Amino acid sequence: MEKAYFAGGCFWCTEAVFQRIKGVESVRSGFSGGHIKNPAYREVITERTGHAETIEISFDPKVVSFLQLLEIFFGTHDPTTLNRQGADKGTHYRSAIFYTSKEQQALGENIIEQLNNSEIFENKIVTEVSEFQNFYPAEDYHNNYYNLNSDEGYCQFVISPKIQKLEHYFSEFLKS
């Protein structure tokens, strides 16, 4: 098993996306990229800790590669908006790849360059590519959020469209 750490706005959204991917063993919501240890959600949302809402993905690279995870990551959130995803605003909602190896770093930087050169997105990608330092799990109620609360408004209007996009564009990667 390998690990990947992605921040793509609200971790409820990115968690719900990656839980559905073949080869992904587990997904945990938490925080990375900040400067204090063990931050609580209430601290992170003040934007004083420097953390981003991040997911930790444990995956089997024989089933799904890091590059394929990156393709799904870039295809299911807007990597061109600085510190924002839709109505969710703040540095804790920034887009980021926290790499754990030089290979992950190179793949992240290369896919950003390719996407920018292809002009698939109207604006340039602002996704941060930073060396992984720490991951601090979020409070329990943040984990598996969409699956437990899919009837709630935020889930219906923000997360469900991401799941539909995933099902449409990345169906070959979905668990059965």
Side-chain angles (χ1 to χ4, degrees):
M1 298 302 275
E2 291 185 19
K3 302 269 189 189
Y5 297 90
F6 297 147
C10 174
F11 48 33
W12 297 343
C13 298
T14 49
E15 175 194 65
V17 165
F18 286 96
Q19 284 177 326
R20 288 157 172 72
I21 304 302
K22 285 186 280 193
V24 170
E25 182 70 25
S26 66
V27 183
R28 289 194 309 167
S29 292
F31 313 105
S32 289
H35 56 269
I36 68 165
K37 292 182 178 182
N38 298 311
Y41 179 75
R42 70 182 185 285
E43 295 172 302
V44 171
I45 63 172
T46 68
E47 299 187 42
R48 292 187 205 131
T49 70
H51 292 89
E53 290 191 20
T54 303
I55 57 167
E56 176 189 67
I57 304 168
S58 296
F59 68 100
D60 182 347
K62 293 177 188 151
V63 179
V64 63
S65 69
F66 183 74
L67 181 58
Q68 290 168 324
L69 294 177
L70 284 172
E71 290 169 357
I72 294 165
F73 173 69
F74 283 107
T76 55
H77 85 293
D78 182 354
T80 68
T81 54
L82 186 62
N83 302 325
R84 179 184 187 145
Q85 285 298 300
D88 294 330
K89 299 177 194 172
T91 57
H92 57 292
Y93 291 122
R94 69 187 181 269
S95 178
I97 300 164
F98 297 104
Y99 62 87
T100 62
S101 68
K102 292 292 180 190
E103 180 184 10
Q104 283 188 357
Q105 178 186 14
L107 288 168
E109 291 171 350
N110 288 340
I111 197 169
I112 290 170
E113 182 179 354
Q114 289 172 11
L115 289 169
N116 279 333
N117 289 340
S118 70
E119 298 180 355
I120 288 174
F121 295 102
E122 191 173 313
N123 299 308
K124 291 290 184 192
I125 291 174
V126 296
T127 302
E128 162 189 340
V129 179
S130 297
E131 186 174 9
F132 173 77
Q133 299 295 323
N134 293 300
F135 176 81
Y136 301 104
E139 295 83 350
D140 286 342
Y141 71 91
H142 289 293
N143 288 289
N144 205 30
Y145 192 86
Y146 177 77
N147 293 333
L148 297 172
N149 302 283
S150 61
D151 290 335
E152 288 189 9
Y154 185 88
C155 293
Q156 286 293 305
F157 294 108
V158 178
I159 304 173
S160 287
K162 290 178 183 283
I163 300 299
Q164 291 166 358
K165 191 174 191 180
L166 174 73
E167 291 169 345
H168 181 75
Y169 292 106
F170 300 100
S171 60
E172 72 273 18
F173 295 108
L174 296 176
K175 294 176 180 174
S176 50

